[in-house]
Amino acid sequence: MPTNNNQNGEVLVKVNNLVKYFPVRAGLFQRVVNHVKAVDDVSFFVRKGETLGLVGESGCGKTTVGRTMLRLIEPTSGAVTFEGRDVFSMKPRELKVARRDMQIIFQDPYASLDPRVPIGESVMEGLHIHRIGTPKERMDIMLETLKKVGLETYHSRRYPHEFSGGQRQRIGIARALALRPRFIICDEPVSALDVSIQSQVLNILKDLQAEFGLTYLFIAHNLSVVEHVSNRVAVMYLGKMVEMTSREELFRNPLHPYTQALMSAIPVPNPRLKRQRTILKGDVPSPLNPPKGCRFHPRCPVAIERCAHEEPPFVEVSPDHWAACHLVQ
């Protein structure tokens, strides 16, 4: 299990052996017949002031990790600590207070906004819930926050359908920022946006981090985006963590075969420069019935017999570089 050696900063959030299974029901009495193993024994930590990128294919459990950390989804087992406090054991009142410091930016901003409410009211909703300030102070905070994300005062009276996708994502950022949190989970905040708009939103996130000392868990499937914003990167595959290290180390020396395959798929801007692609065979296995041993072994180009029977532990292979692969341990 990854632990911080305190050489590079104090840990703000720590995830220990996080598990989330979704029951599959069938029959007249809706009995549980199986479980979708969305997140299966995941451990990592996020240091204060850094951005940890969490990457992997669609369906690998990235979003489930983020939502479970905030208890938007109740966990099956494991622990998440925020500044040493166990989030999963918090009573409702204590959890409500803690959520002022832990916010989330959703992937689909339109689905997370009430279409019947002006966006100014949506941004102020958290201030109302936590009873922060007077009505005038809440209005001032809302208008200031909209300006921080590149929107104007008059936008506060408009409704979500009057905005473009990039503007809606700015509204989502403003909602998360209004309470002045310390930790924000960014759940694929730019995946649905045009490339030109992606860079604007990413720059806003980086500027806000520098101004307010924010800590991010940045969930994405685009490694180019993760390289731009992250200090460290964690890679997931089929509900398991397979590699975690600094951004520079990961792009210079990826150890896990799955990470190497992801790296080889990054587009190269120079058409004359050819990259050796690693083509993975087969499809991603179902989380209903994941493979025994290493979950990546049916698609791994360098798998050995041991991989099919023995699950590799997630261990520190070199300083601040964790991997779950028999070939590098």
Side-chain angles (χ1 to χ4, degrees):
M1 181 183 70
T3 56
N4 181 42
N5 56 16
N6 283 326
Q7 292 179 359
N8 299 310
E10 184 181 351
V11 170
L12 181 69
V13 182
K14 193 172 182 181
V15 178
N16 292 331
N17 308 113
L18 182 63
V19 175
K20 178 57 186 177
Y21 292 171
F22 292 97
V24 178
R25 302 179 185 275
L28 180 63
F29 298 102
Q30 290 294 291
R31 292 172 176 161
V32 177
V33 296
N34 206 341
H35 287 89
V36 176
K37 300 175 177 63
V39 179
D40 199 358
D41 196 21
V42 166
S43 299
F44 61 92
F45 59 85
V46 189
R47 298 184 178 110
K48 285 185 178 178
E50 77 166 353
T51 299
L52 175 66
L54 184 60
V55 301
E57 290 173 291
S58 296
C60 72
K62 308 183 299 295
T63 294
T64 303
V65 167
R67 297 192 177 202
T68 307
M69 288 173 66
L70 299 184
R71 280 181 65 182
L72 300 178
I73 302 173
E74 289 296 327
T76 301
S77 64
V80 172
T81 57
F82 178 75
E83 292 190 318
R85 296 175 293 161
D86 186 1
V87 175
F88 295 163
S89 65
M90 289 180 178
K91 299 292 190 291
R93 187 180 297 276
E94 187 182 2
L95 181 62
K96 178 181 176 181
V97 174
R99 279 181 173 157
R100 282 190 59 177
D101 290 325
M102 304 171 68
Q103 290 289 304
I104 184 169
I105 301 170
F106 293 100
Q107 178 178 358
D108 185 355
Y110 191 64
S112 62
L113 294 171
D114 190 336
R116 302 163 297 179
V117 176
I119 64 105
E121 291 294 326
S122 293
V123 173
M124 285 193 293
E125 185 177 10
L127 302 175
H128 287 302
I129 291 172
H130 291 278
R131 300 177 181 177
I132 297 173
T134 64
K136 184 182 183 305
E137 288 172 340
R138 293 169 191 164
M139 180 71 70
D140 291 341
I141 292 173
M142 179 268 292
L143 294 176
E144 180 189 357
T145 305
L146 289 181
K147 289 181 181 178
K148 293 288 186 186
V149 299
L151 296 175
E152 300 298 332
T153 299
Y154 63 84
H155 285 137
S156 65
R157 299 185 294 272
R158 294 186 177 180
Y159 291 83
H161 71 273
E162 300 180 73
F163 295 92
S164 66
Q167 287 176 317
R168 289 175 194 155
Q169 196 57 279
R170 292 170 191 244
I171 297 166
I173 296 172
R175 289 183 69 189
L177 187 66
L179 291 172
R180 299 296 185 262
R182 301 167 63 191
F183 176 60
I184 298 180
I185 294 176
C186 306
D187 184 11
E188 303 203 34
V190 297
S191 63
L193 305 179
D194 294 336
V195 174
S196 59
I197 306 300
Q198 284 186 12
S199 61
Q200 295 176 17
V201 173
L202 292 174
N203 288 333
I204 287 173
L205 290 171
K206 293 186 74 173
D207 291 343
L208 292 173
Q209 183 177 38
E211 182 175 354
F212 296 103
L214 299 171
T215 301
Y216 292 143
L217 174 64
F218 193 94
I219 299 170
H221 59 261
N222 188 332
L223 274 171
S224 299
V225 171
V226 169
E227 184 181 16
H228 180 67
V229 300
S230 300
N231 302 106
R232 291 187 303 125
V233 182
V235 183
M236 282 187 69
Y237 181 80
L238 203 61
K240 289 278 191 181
M241 197 73 77
V242 297
E243 189 163 1
M244 182 173 70
T245 187
S246 67
R247 174 191 60 197
E248 295 82 3
E249 176 69 9
L250 189 82
F251 283 83
R252 182 183 63 84
N253 181 33
L255 296 179
H256 198 281
Y258 176 63
T259 309
Q260 295 168 3
L262 290 180
M263 294 292 183
S264 74
I266 299 175
V268 179
N270 186 351
R272 292 189 176 90
L273 184 61
K274 299 296 182 182
R275 171 174 282 175
Q276 185 66 37
R277 287 290 308 274
T278 301
I279 307 298
L280 299 179
K281 56 186 178 181
D283 298 322
V284 180
S286 170
L288 276 169
N289 187 26
K292 295 181 179 179
C294 175
R295 295 190 175 185
F296 186 59
H297 87 265
R299 306 175 70 198
C300 182
V302 293
I304 57 178
E305 184 178 354
R306 181 185 180 190
C307 301
H309 307 288
E310 184 181 340
E311 182 177 329
F314 190 54
V315 298
E316 190 171 14
V317 178
S318 60
D320 206 26
H321 195 159
W322 286 264
C325 180
H326 291 305
L327 298 178
V328 299
Q329 294 176 1

